[in-house]
Amino acid sequence: MISSSLSRGSEHSFPEKSKEPGRSAKTVRAMSKGKLLFGVVICALLAAVPALAGPYFGFVVGLALINCVAATGINISMGYAGLVSVGHAGFAAIGAYATVLLMTHLGVSYFLAILLASAIAATCGIIIAIPSLRLSSLYIAMITFGFGQAVNLVLMNWLELTRGPNGLAVPPIQVFGHEVQPVLMYYFLIGAFLCALWISWNLLSSRFGRALLALKGNEAAAESMGIPVARYKIAAFALGALFGGLSGSLYVGVSDFINPYAFSFEVSIAYLTMSVVGGLGVFWGPVFGASLLTVLPELLRPVAEYKELVFGSLLLIFLIVMPEGIAPLIGRGVGRLRR
């Protein structure tokens, strides 16, 4: 599945209905088995990380999985629908804080709180999308920037609810009265990550995904083809926000404590950088970008004060030198190896 999607190039990394005329059924079956085997190997490697590499590296990989979910949301709203978002950390903050507040004040279980918090974040995405319908990309970027900043200011100043800069302690996560251990939470993250990818894959391979691509290519032409532009824009924004909220809820599962600094503007830029570096508009782009840019700060610990500078420089370099990102490059390499 991965090699095939990557080898198609930068624009459309989701399964298409068309068939290659010279390809036999036997070849197609062999490729499907290869994709399945590759997926099984990747899942097995992810599952073996805590045992093979220790709990700390397992924590880093868990963060990479969470960032993949957030970057996948940007890929849907921005990569496919062309709706620029530079305030994605705001949706993650809503997801995280809603999860903790639901658990703390209403006694909702963590796993139910994830669903409710993601729905709240998606609702906020719809509210943001409505005034953005007739605006250009630049103004949409300004609105999302303002949204992210407004969320952060609310978290900082609503002391009675959020405790401001002091943040909130995450209550113990339990199932049937038993506390969930970090290893089990790691496997839950793998499941959530795979579920998010599966949803994204099926969405983007559907009529909805093709409509988003048409919308991104030429809004007027898409409207003339009968695509309800406003409805699809709102849906794309809501889905991006839902994935953002989900990532915030998942972050609660691996953290004992949340505060507004964990969802600052720099985090929004980091999500955006992950999407661009991996390949904006490419299905596997967020996976590559988030994996690379989650591990990179660990390697930059000796020069941690320059982390933002490195992230910004990477974003500029990729926009100028390699605007398609990493995923199409890897896809072309895999395609050459298969010939």
Side-chain angles (χ1 to χ4, degrees):
M1 181 183 292
I2 288 179
S3 59
S4 174
S5 64
L6 293 176
S7 62
R8 287 189 187 110
S10 61
E11 293 298 327
H12 310 289
S13 291
F14 54 87
E16 296 178 352
K17 298 293 184 184
S18 61
K19 304 292 184 185
E20 297 179 24
R23 182 174 296 176
S24 67
K26 186 177 179 181
T27 304
V28 173
R29 282 197 297 272
M31 287 178 58
S32 298
K33 288 180 181 177
K35 296 172 192 172
L36 180 62
L37 180 62
F38 187 85
V40 170
V41 170
I42 294 298
C43 290
L45 287 175
L46 283 175
V49 164
L52 296 179
Y56 179 72
F57 193 72
F59 174 74
V60 174
V61 174
L63 287 180
L65 296 176
I66 294 170
N67 289 334
C68 284
V69 173
T72 298
I74 290 185
N75 205 34
I76 292 174
S77 59
M78 186 171 169
Y80 285 91
L83 302 170
V84 181
S85 175
V86 292
H88 210 63
F91 298 118
I94 290 171
Y97 272 81
T99 301
V100 174
L101 292 172
L102 284 168
M103 293 171 68
T104 305
H105 294 285
L106 299 180
V108 177
S109 74
Y110 170 68
F111 301 99
L112 177 58
I114 289 177
L115 300 178
L116 296 175
S118 300
I120 292 171
T123 305
C124 293
I126 293 172
I127 295 171
I128 294 298
I130 291 174
S132 309
L133 291 178
R134 298 195 176 278
L135 298 178
S136 65
S137 296
L138 176 61
Y139 290 102
I140 294 176
M142 291 174 65
I143 285 180
T144 54
F145 168 76
F147 166 75
Q149 294 297 92
V151 170
N152 209 265
L153 284 174
V154 169
L155 297 180
M156 282 284 192
N157 294 289
W158 197 348
L159 301 179
E160 295 80 7
L161 188 67
T162 66
R163 297 187 67 237
N166 294 324
L168 297 174
V170 177
I173 296 173
Q174 297 181 338
V175 175
F176 301 121
H178 298 283
E179 189 169 338
V180 177
Q181 297 302 311
V183 173
L184 290 179
M185 181 54 64
Y186 173 79
Y187 291 126
F188 175 72
L189 288 181
I190 294 177
F193 161 73
L194 293 175
C195 184
L197 285 188
W198 180 80
I199 292 172
S200 173
W201 179 274
N202 283 282
L203 281 173
L204 297 174
S205 61
S206 65
R207 288 184 60 188
F208 174 76
R210 290 181 170 78
L212 292 187
L213 285 173
L215 187 63
K216 180 185 176 185
N218 190 313
E219 191 173 316
E223 194 165 19
S224 68
M225 292 165 60
I227 295 174
V229 171
R231 194 189 311 166
Y232 275 69
K233 275 187 172 181
I234 292 173
F237 239 119
L239 281 170
L242 186 143
F243 276 72
L246 175 61
S247 70
S249 297
L250 295 176
Y251 178 73
V252 168
V254 298
S255 177
D256 297 328
F257 174 81
I258 58 170
N259 65 20
Y261 302 111
F263 308 100
S264 62
F265 176 65
E266 287 78 12
V267 177
S268 292
I269 295 301
Y271 288 152
L272 185 60
T273 308
M274 290 171 188
S275 303
V276 173
V277 169
L280 200 58
V282 182
F283 177 79
W284 293 104
V287 179
F288 288 114
S291 301
L292 173 65
L293 294 181
T294 304
V295 175
L296 187 61
E298 299 301 317
L299 303 177
L300 293 175
R301 277 187 180 277
V303 288
E305 62 270 25
Y306 301 110
K307 188 177 72 173
E308 279 74 22
L309 178 63
V310 172
F311 269 60
S313 302
L314 269 177
L315 181 60
L316 280 177
I317 290 171
F318 271 85
L319 283 173
I320 295 170
V321 179
M322 202 189 302
E324 291 182 342
I326 296 173
L329 187 67
I330 296 175
R332 284 194 287 273
V334 172
R336 289 196 183 106
L337 288 175
R338 285 170 46 194
R339 291 192 193 114

